[in-house]
Amino acid sequence: MLISQVAVSSATALRLTAAAVAEAERQGWRIAVVVVDRAGVPLALARMDEATPPVLEFAADKAYTAATMRRSTEAFFERMTSSPSLALGFQNRPRLMVWGGGLPIVHEGAVVGGIGVSGAQDFEDIACAKAALAQEGLGWES
């Protein structure tokens, strides 16, 4: 048996990255952005001038979490803090990130990738990611 799945294209990933950076520039924020496929593999990334180097890795982990867990990093945080055993177990899982700024990329109800933004405050990172997805006509909730 074969499974056919839709995935975000590299061309779309580049446009999403540019759109997130453009939103950050409009707002005066310095960010990094990473777009990944369904498996969390990077397709496009950028770190703005004056954004600190670690934020690129944070953005990558946010995108990975959103794509592979099929939910925003904010929703993932709520789930992980809902139970002491989940919170303890989470500490041993590399790459999973609970800071706001990671959103799944949703097309026609299916998660096709993830976008992660880091470098500003959580709500600002989320705003950049949402602006990029909206510009491409993509959603972030399945």
Side-chain angles (χ1 to χ4, degrees):
M1 175 188 287
L2 299 175
I3 298 173
S4 177
Q5 298 177 332
V6 177
V8 65
S9 70
S10 58
T12 300
L14 288 168
R15 289 193 305 272
L16 288 168
T17 301
V21 167
E23 178 64 17
E25 285 176 338
R26 274 192 293 280
Q27 301 297 334
W29 305 326
R30 297 291 171 250
I31 61 149
V33 58
V34 177
V35 176
V36 300
D37 66 14
R38 293 174 44 86
V41 177
L43 296 172
L45 56 88
R47 181 175 62 87
M48 295 174 67
D49 295 340
E50 298 180 23
T52 60
V55 300
L56 184 59
E57 197 169 323
F58 299 155
D61 289 347
K62 290 177 182 186
Y64 174 87
T65 301
T68 60
M69 300 307 292
R70 314 276 190 256
R71 61 179 70 188
S72 71
T73 51
E74 196 172 31
F76 187 62
F77 170 78
E78 291 171 9
R79 175 72 176 118
M80 291 299 101
T81 57
S82 70
S83 158
S85 64
L86 286 175
L88 286 172
F90 169 74
Q91 296 173 11
N92 298 318
R93 306 305 314 162
R95 305 248 8 232
L96 297 178
M97 175 68 79
V98 296
W99 300 341
L103 298 175
I105 301 170
V106 178
H107 175 68
E108 296 180 354
V111 175
V112 298
I115 183 169
V117 177
S118 194
Q121 295 183 63
D122 281 6
F123 70 93
E124 296 166 341
D125 292 344
I126 294 166
C128 288
K130 285 182 175 180
L133 292 171
Q135 183 172 312
E136 287 297 309
L138 295 165
W140 51 87
E141 295 179 2
S142 50

